[in-house]
Amino acid sequence: MDRTRQVRLAKDAMDRDWADPGLDLDTVAAHAGYSRYHFLRAFKEAYGETPGRYLTHRRIERAEDLLRTANLSVTEICHLVGFSSVGTFSARFKAWTGLTPSEYRTKHVGRGAALIPGCYAMLWAGGFRTGPGAGPDSRKESNSGEAG
């Protein structure tokens, strides 16, 4: 398999599993069949940014959608898009958009359809996560190993 295809497979995994808080650099690199450091270089060469920045941007874009359309708290949205720390989520959101999540919501709510009730948005996103060890495939609760 050529290098471009291997990196694309890993990017596809990030596009598909972006909300998984356990998605880290090692997991994504495994999709490409690379070590984490080789994958980091190959991904940046192919897409112009690190896998971590790409994944963060995907998560922030989804958070923007939820802040505009769903009646969920910032904390609920933070967890739905794959962050486990509200502080990290808020800092990265502000760095990307120039606004805190609350400021973003205030600025953009009311410009479209009525907000989707939070219970529907949570169920659509796969249900409610109740913490470590919950469910048959419990996931890591830390983003410390986020993809690059």
Side-chain angles (χ1 to χ4, degrees), residues 4 6 9 24 34 64 69-70 72-73 89-90 99 115-116:
T4 304
Q6 288 175 287
L9 287 173
D24 61 8
Y34 287 145
E64 287 175 317
T69 61
L72 295 168
S73 71
F89 167 68
S90 295
L99 301 168
L115 292 177
I116 298 167

Side-chain angles (χ1 to χ4, degrees), residues 14-60:
M14 285 191 284
D15 290 339
R16 180 183 59 245
D17 300 330
W18 56 267
D20 181 356
L23 190 63
D24 61 8
L25 184 57
D26 291 323
T27 304
V28 176
H31 282 283
Y34 287 145
S35 72
R36 65 184 291 143
Y37 302 108
H38 186 71
F39 175 71
L40 184 65
R41 287 188 300 273
F43 189 93
K44 188 169 184 176
E45 182 181 313
Y47 295 105
E49 64 184 339
T50 65
R53 286 188 58 83
Y54 177 78
L55 185 58
T56 295
H57 294 163
R58 292 280 296 151
R59 289 173 172 172
I60 297 299

Side-chain angles (χ1 to χ4, degrees), residues 8-144:
R8 191 176 323 122
L9 287 173
K11 182 179 176 285
D12 290 346
M14 285 191 284
D15 290 339
R16 180 183 59 245
D17 300 330
W18 56 267
D20 181 356
L23 190 63
D24 61 8
L25 184 57
D26 291 323
T27 304
V28 176
H31 282 283
Y34 287 145
S35 72
R36 65 184 291 143
Y37 302 108
H38 186 71
F39 175 71
L40 184 65
R41 287 188 300 273
F43 189 93
K44 188 169 184 176
E45 182 181 313
Y47 295 105
E49 64 184 339
T50 65
R53 286 188 58 83
Y54 177 78
L55 185 58
T56 295
H57 294 163
R58 292 280 296 151
R59 289 173 172 172
I60 297 299
E61 287 169 354
R62 185 62 184 128
E64 287 175 317
D65 289 340
L66 289 170
L67 286 164
R68 283 191 307 266
T69 61
N71 187 19
L72 295 168
S73 71
V74 171
T75 301
E76 289 169 323
I77 291 171
C78 162
H79 294 291
L80 279 175
V81 299
F83 286 93
S84 60
S85 165
V86 177
T88 300
F89 167 68
S90 295
R92 290 186 182 173
F93 190 94
K94 185 169 184 171
W96 179 251
T97 64
L99 301 168
T100 66
S102 297
E103 291 168 342
Y104 185 89
R105 172 176 273 156
T106 300
K107 181 177 179 179
H108 293 285
V109 164
R111 293 184 175 204
L115 292 177
I116 298 167
C119 57
Y120 289 113
M122 293 290 278
L123 288 173
W124 174 84
F128 297 87
R129 292 192 184 115
T130 57
D137 65 333
S138 57
R139 297 182 166 104
K140 283 189 338 188
E141 289 294 318
S142 169
N143 280 346
S144 61

